[in-house]
Amino acid sequence: MHPSLNLPHLMRPLFVSVILLFAAQAHADSSIEDLLQRMASTMRTVNYEGLLLHAQGQETRTVRIFHLYDPENGERERLLSQDGPAREIVHANDRCTCIWPRSKLVINRRTPTWRGHLSPARFADTLRLAAFYEFSRGETARVAGLSCQVVKLAPRDGFRHGYRLCIHEPSGMLLRLEIMDGERRLEMNQFGILRLDPGLGEDVLRPVTDLEGFRVIDETTSPAEPYQPRWTAESLPPGYFLLLAAERSHPRNGSRLEHLVYTDGLNNVSVFIEASSDRPVRTKALTGAMRRVVRDVDGHRLTAIGEVPEAAMQMILDGLRPGDTSTSDTP
């Protein structure tokens, strides 16, 4: 056989090329994971002020954000709605104060894991996310006057939406976050104005709303023993687990209800369980990525709300059973 036709000789360059291709792909995936982890850290520890645009369906809202961090006091921020129903939220580490001026209501509670429109900390556990999402780089874009790298998270099943992030690589700041259904955008949050290290003082954390005469609900007191949920899930969508269980006061009538939060590490589903009544199911349509599923069972109304496909919420509700306090639904 002529040397030039020797099969092993011909295959060697191809084999090397395949190895280099896989190595390059592994490096690309690793760089995406590094970027997501750096973004999650940056968004927590950098001082900034910005105007965040929130687009949901045909509706667009703007929120002003003041974010402070220092090693002594930790992470704190205030969010102030600029249009639509007035709302003001102040986060101070693990405490959250939510103010609704129109209802004259203040709720003090523990800060939820999902704490706003951006919530970059959700993307930090890239090892877990990689089991349910495929990472890839997209094009470069420009947001709030800054160039940013598009990073895509495509779901591997039908129990979660996709995500498209645009990250300013020099700083690690998340400039835009989109929730996707395939190639269709369901919801978008992006900075219209962003100032890094603007020299903010403590005064930006003080609410501007006069709280005189407001009703205050305080849910910050920790119980002597961990709350044992009265309902447990016998089956859950792949990757979902029970994140939080608590008893809360209904914001409208003050009655007690059970609140369960299920998550896959990125998406949260809140389930509210209350006694059934003649009150009809709320029919107000939800827009964007937000979904609601309601199920009546054993004299109780179960309401699931979250930015996940309805299939995930329906599976959670169908699997809930009363009277079992086991904790088998852990990750």
Side-chain angles (χ1 to χ4, degrees), residues 15 35 38 50 64 68-69 84 89 91 100 107 143 148 167 180 219 240 243 262 297 323 330:
F15 177 75
L35 183 57
R38 186 162 62 90
R64 195 174 181 187
L68 293 178
Y69 175 84
I89 300 175
H91 293 286
W100 285 274
I107 297 181
V143 176
C148 54
I167 304 171
M180 309 295 296
E219 298 181 345
Y240 282 78
L243 176 68
Y262 294 93
V297 58
T330 54

Side-chain angles (χ1 to χ4, degrees), residues 145-214:
L146 300 171
S147 63
C148 54
Q149 172 64 54
V150 172
V151 173
K152 300 178 181 180
L153 281 70
R156 299 183 186 275
D157 58 34
F159 294 113
R160 52 211 105 224
H161 292 311
Y163 288 84
R164 194 162 59 191
L165 294 73
C166 209
I167 304 171
H168 182 238
E169 291 195 82
S171 68
M173 287 290 293
L174 175 60
L175 303 183
R176 182 170 65 208
L177 170 63
E178 298 168 282
I179 303 177
M180 309 295 296
D181 179 12
E183 292 300 314
R184 183 169 67 97
R185 187 174 71 193
L186 300 174
E187 197 167 316
M188 181 188 73
N189 300 283
Q190 76 169 37
F191 281 105
I193 300 173
L194 177 64
R195 293 199 303 144
L196 299 177
D197 292 319
L200 301 176
E202 296 288 322
D203 58 306
V204 301
L205 299 174
R206 285 196 289 270
V208 297
T209 305
D210 182 1
L211 303 182
E212 180 70 28
F214 277 49

Side-chain angles (χ1 to χ4, degrees), residues 8 13 29 33 40 57 67 102 112 156 182-183 191 216 259 298 328:
D29 291 343
E33 294 180 2
H67 185 274
R102 187 168 62 181
R156 299 183 186 275
E183 292 300 314
F191 281 105
V216 178
H259 181 203
D298 293 337
S328 59

Side-chain angles (χ1 to χ4, degrees), residues 16-179:
V16 172
S17 297
V18 171
I19 293 297
L20 290 175
L21 177 61
F22 279 113
Q25 183 62 49
H27 180 269
D29 291 343
S30 176
S31 67
I32 292 175
E33 294 180 2
D34 292 343
L35 183 57
L36 289 172
Q37 292 167 3
R38 186 162 62 90
M39 174 205 72
S41 175
T42 295
M43 295 291 285
R44 185 178 73 87
T45 59
V46 167
N47 291 353
Y48 63 86
E49 174 189 358
L51 192 67
L52 187 69
L53 310 179
H54 174 63
Q56 190 177 44
Q58 300 300 314
E59 192 174 82
T60 301
R61 294 281 185 254
T62 53
V63 178
R64 195 174 181 187
I65 299 179
F66 303 92
H67 185 274
L68 293 178
Y69 175 84
D70 64 75
E72 181 179 352
N73 297 298
E75 184 183 13
R76 297 164 297 158
E77 69 180 8
R78 182 166 65 90
L79 296 87
L80 182 64
S81 63
Q82 300 296 289
D83 44 34
R87 187 177 64 165
E88 196 167 358
I89 300 175
V90 178
H91 293 286
N93 294 307
D94 64 344
R95 293 291 186 268
C96 172
T97 299
C98 305
I99 304 168
W100 285 274
R102 187 168 62 181
S103 303
K104 287 187 164 296
L105 177 64
V106 177
I107 297 181
N108 297 312
R109 61 175 47 152
R110 290 184 176 275
T111 295
T113 301
W114 189 91
R115 57 176 290 172
H117 295 313
L118 293 178
S119 299
R122 296 178 293 161
F123 297 90
D125 190 354
T126 54
L127 182 61
R128 180 177 180 82
L129 292 180
F132 305 105
Y133 298 87
E134 180 180 352
F135 302 159
S136 64
R137 279 181 177 260
E139 71 283 1
T140 57
R142 193 164 179 266
V143 176
L146 300 171
S147 63
C148 54
Q149 172 64 54
V150 172
V151 173
K152 300 178 181 180
L153 281 70
R156 299 183 186 275
D157 58 34
F159 294 113
R160 52 211 105 224
H161 292 311
Y163 288 84
R164 194 162 59 191
L165 294 73
C166 209
I167 304 171
H168 182 238
E169 291 195 82
S171 68
M173 287 290 293
L174 175 60
L175 303 183
R176 182 170 65 208
L177 170 63
E178 298 168 282
I179 303 177

